[in-house]
Amino acid sequence: QVQLAQSGGGLVQAGDSLRLSCAASGRIFSTFSSYTMGWFRQAPEKDREVVAVINWSGGTTYYADSVKGRFTISRDNAKKTVYLQMNSLKPEDTAVYYCAADQLYGLAYMEYDYWGQGTQVTVSS
């Protein structure tokens, strides 16, 4: 069984910062460092979209244009954890955020095999 346990999130004001964490356990634990990790989000009545992706080593990252320069994805393979640091938050960042893992590098959510439980981020204006 693969588990991705998310933490962080909550209600903040525009301009504030939040950090999301996603810790792996189960079958993925011993091989976490070989997985691509991604953060996705889904706002009400919208499709799930990619926010940021990081490859197995951390040497390659991708950011959606809407978050570039404000969000940072990172990983600590020793702790089997991936992070999403979100700065200068805007109301349009309001969504449920999901972490995901896959053995291949990709940007489309349907490519990912394993998912966290989701965490709500709400940014008030």
Side-chain angles (χ1 to χ4, degrees), residues 67-116:
V67 306
K68 203 172 293 183
R70 300 187 298 121
F71 291 12
T72 302
I73 188 171
S74 62
R75 65 189 298 160
D76 185 334
N77 285 340
K79 294 183 178 180
K80 321 297 183 185
T81 301
V82 64
Y83 306 96
L84 185 68
Q85 177 67 43
M86 304 184 292
N87 298 330
S88 303
L89 282 161
K90 303 175 180 181
E92 51 263 44
D93 294 318
T94 296
V96 177
Y97 283 71
Y98 298 90
C99 67
D102 196 78
Q103 291 185 303
L104 299 178
Y105 185 87
L107 304 182
Y109 73 87
M110 66 281 294
E111 299 176 13
Y112 283 72
D113 288 333
Y114 307 111
W115 290 86

Side-chain angles (χ1 to χ4, degrees), residues 49-71:
E49 63 176 3
V50 63
V51 175
V53 174
I54 188 166
N55 78 328
W56 65 275
S57 68
T60 299
T61 56
Y62 167 86
Y63 296 95
D65 287 343
S66 58
V67 306
K68 203 172 293 183
R70 300 187 298 121
F71 291 12

Side-chain angles (χ1 to χ4, degrees), residues 6 8-12 18 20 39-51 67 71 84 86 89-98 118-124:
Q6 297 181 221
L11 173 63
V12 297
L18 279 175
L20 305 182
W39 286 98
F40 297 80
R41 67 186 181 187
Q42 188 164 17
E45 300 182 359
K46 291 190 176 181
D47 289 336
R48 191 168 298 190
E49 63 176 3
V50 63
V51 175
V67 306
F71 291 12
L84 185 68
M86 304 184 292
L89 282 161
K90 303 175 180 181
E92 51 263 44
D93 294 318
T94 296
V96 177
Y97 283 71
Y98 298 90
T119 186
Q120 178 70 45
V121 172
T122 303
V123 185
S124 63

